[in-house]
Amino acid sequence: MSALSSVTVIGGGAVGLATAYYLRKADLDVTVIESGRPGRSTSWGNGGWLSPVLSIPTPGPGMPRMGIVETFQRDSAVAIRPHAAPSMIPWLLRFARHCTRSAFESGSARLGALSREMFDGFDELADLGVPVEVPRQGNLRACLTEAEARHQLAGLAPMRAAGYAVPDRIMGAEEIHELEPELSDGVRSGFNLPEERHVDPGAFCDTLAEYLVKQGVRLLTDTRVTGVSASGGRVTAVETTGGQVRADALVVAAGLDTRLIAGWLGARLPIRGGKGYSFFVPSEHSPSHPLYLSHTKVGVTPLKGGYRVLGGMELADETLRINPRMIRGMIRVARRYLRHLPADESLDRLPDLWAGLRPMTPDGLPVIDHLPHLSNAYVNSGHGMLGVGLCMVSGAALTDFMVSGRRPDVLAPFGAARF
Ligand SMILES: Cc1cc2nc3c(=O)[nH]c(=O)nc-3n(C[C@H](O)[C@H](O)[C@H](O)COP(=O)(O)OP(=O)(O)OC[C@H]3O[C@@H](n4cnc5c(N)ncnc54)[C@H](O)[C@@H]3O)c2cc1C
């Protein structure tokens, strides 16, 4: 039996809300404290892909070389900018140490184990009548050459071997255009990952937040946590801009700010921001599939009334300043793959230009654990490029740990003390 009766969650992004869902389901009194509106930070303008096959760590073989080379290329969509923040260099060195084949393979296996049940929580919400839309068009890899498609597909062989739905052949030009007529004539090949799904991430957070309130979760919006009180090895209260909130147990799910808040509690979590961008293209010519544009790290997600183009990975600039060079790089890439992209001039004036900071760890794995030295404080953060896809499984596993007191095996690689 759980000794827990109430929990305070800091952060109302996808991860905090999903955690609150499972805590409430376990019959606990739950308070979520969110400094703005729920789901309006990094959980807003992202791709919304729920992609078990692509649940791999960000650091990978070749990443440092690619980042550094592309930093010096104009209009690139990938950049590591150590000159922007010297304080980030130790983190970047740690990140670089994880860019080996063996670290990548073991990280992929660990994330693969966590993401195996990725869709269950989304299906459960749908079964409860929560109006979360989770289209199932798969995820289409579009390539300019057959050689590139073959190369990309070969990279996914380990996921096929692990039992995921990965096709064993590439499509030719005719077949891929028949499947997705919005691809440009330049796209000659590719393949579809048929079981991948996606959500509109902002709409998902809005819907989940609304459901939580109906279930009795106390959702404090526009309320910033400014401090945490602890005594006798336990967190006792959270100080906020709206006054003090008593805390029997605490979950820190504050995205990038998790580093700061965990620091108040004596835990050093190396979570840094990996900046990415998106823009929305209102269009009658939206692709019907989420698209991964070959090796470019640019993606497309169909949404109501158009589609979102997303991409960019800037390490070392933790502001939300929009770098026009990165946007131009994404536009240039998208133009090569999509048949109907409006002229540059109108894209430059896009109203929905967005930047978000992915909460990244140097090994590319989230932190889902107990915080060291405190008996009632937990963390659920650092999901990098995967926070929307992994929010439900992470929330479920952490809740299981908190309620049962036993750490589920699947969480073993995601400890807070590993740094
Ligand atoms: C361009 C781009 C594309 C992406 N595409 C995908 C994708 O397709 N699929 C996917 O799974 N992931 C994707 N991601 C990653 C995903 O967006 C993140 O992993 C995810 O949103 C992280 O969610 P979170 O809840 O941890 O953080 P956040 O969404 O940042 O939520 C944290 C919340 O905590 C609040 N907070 C912070 N400090 C305090 C405080 N002191 N007091 C109170 N509240 C506080 C913040 O206001 C915020 O709302 C993408 C990211 C980017 C940038």
Side-chain angles (χ1 to χ4, degrees), residues 10-16 33-35 41-43 46-49 223-225 253-255 257 261 276-277 310-311 354 356 358-359 384-389:
I10 306 178
V15 174
I33 307 178
E34 164 55 49
S35 55
S41 183
T42 312
S43 296
N46 63 74
W49 293 1
T223 306
R224 172 169 288 280
V225 172
D257 287 350
I261 297 169
Y277 299 96
L310 47 123
W354 176 87
R358 303 171 181 93
M385 305 198 297
L386 308 169
V388 178

Side-chain angles (χ1 to χ4, degrees), residues 15 42 87-88 90-92 94-95 252-263 267-275 315-318 357-369 371 378-385 414-416 418-419:
V15 174
T42 312
S87 72
M88 190 132 171
W91 187 96
L92 286 169
R94 274 168 108 168
F95 178 90
V252 187
L256 182 58
D257 287 350
T258 301
R259 178 179 86 230
L260 176 74
I261 297 169
R268 287 166 67 91
L269 298 182
I271 295 177
R272 305 299 303 232
K275 182 151 58 168
L315 291 168
D317 175 9
E318 290 181 319
L357 292 161
R358 303 171 181 93
M360 312 258 302
T361 58
D363 60 6
L365 305 179
V367 193
I368 312 170
D369 197 12
L371 277 177
Y378 300 81
V379 61
N380 194 358
S381 190
H383 293 76
M385 305 198 297
F414 309 122
R418 72 182 191 270
F419 303 107

Side-chain angles (χ1 to χ4, degrees), residues 92-122:
L92 286 169
L93 292 173
R94 274 168 108 168
F95 178 90
R97 275 203 297 278
H98 286 94
C99 292
T100 62
R101 169 74 43 204
S102 67
F104 180 73
E105 283 173 2
S106 75
S108 299
R110 290 160 171 188
L111 286 170
L114 182 65
S115 64
R116 208 158 267 286
E117 321 282 313
M118 180 181 279
F119 301 136
D120 289 6
F122 294 92

Side-chain angles (χ1 to χ4, degrees), residues 294-338:
S294 191
H295 61 285
T296 62
K297 310 259 185 280
V298 175
V300 174
T301 299
L303 295 173
K304 225 166 255 159
Y307 56 93
R308 178 174 286 160
V309 178
L310 47 123
M313 173 60 85
E314 278 183 307
L315 291 168
D317 175 9
E318 290 181 319
T319 69
L320 291 176
R321 192 181 63 83
I322 288 185
N323 178 345
R325 266 178 61 175
M326 299 293 277
I327 305 300
R328 277 198 298 272
M330 288 164 59
I331 293 173
R332 251 180 17 159
V333 167
R335 190 173 299 290
R336 288 172 74 193
Y337 289 82
L338 295 177

Side-chain angles (χ1 to χ4, degrees), residues 58 76 103 105 140 190 192 243 310 338 340 350 360 366 388:
T58 308
S76 165
E105 283 173 2
L140 187 59
N192 193 24
L310 47 123
L338 295 177
H340 295 103
L350 281 174
M360 312 258 302
V388 178

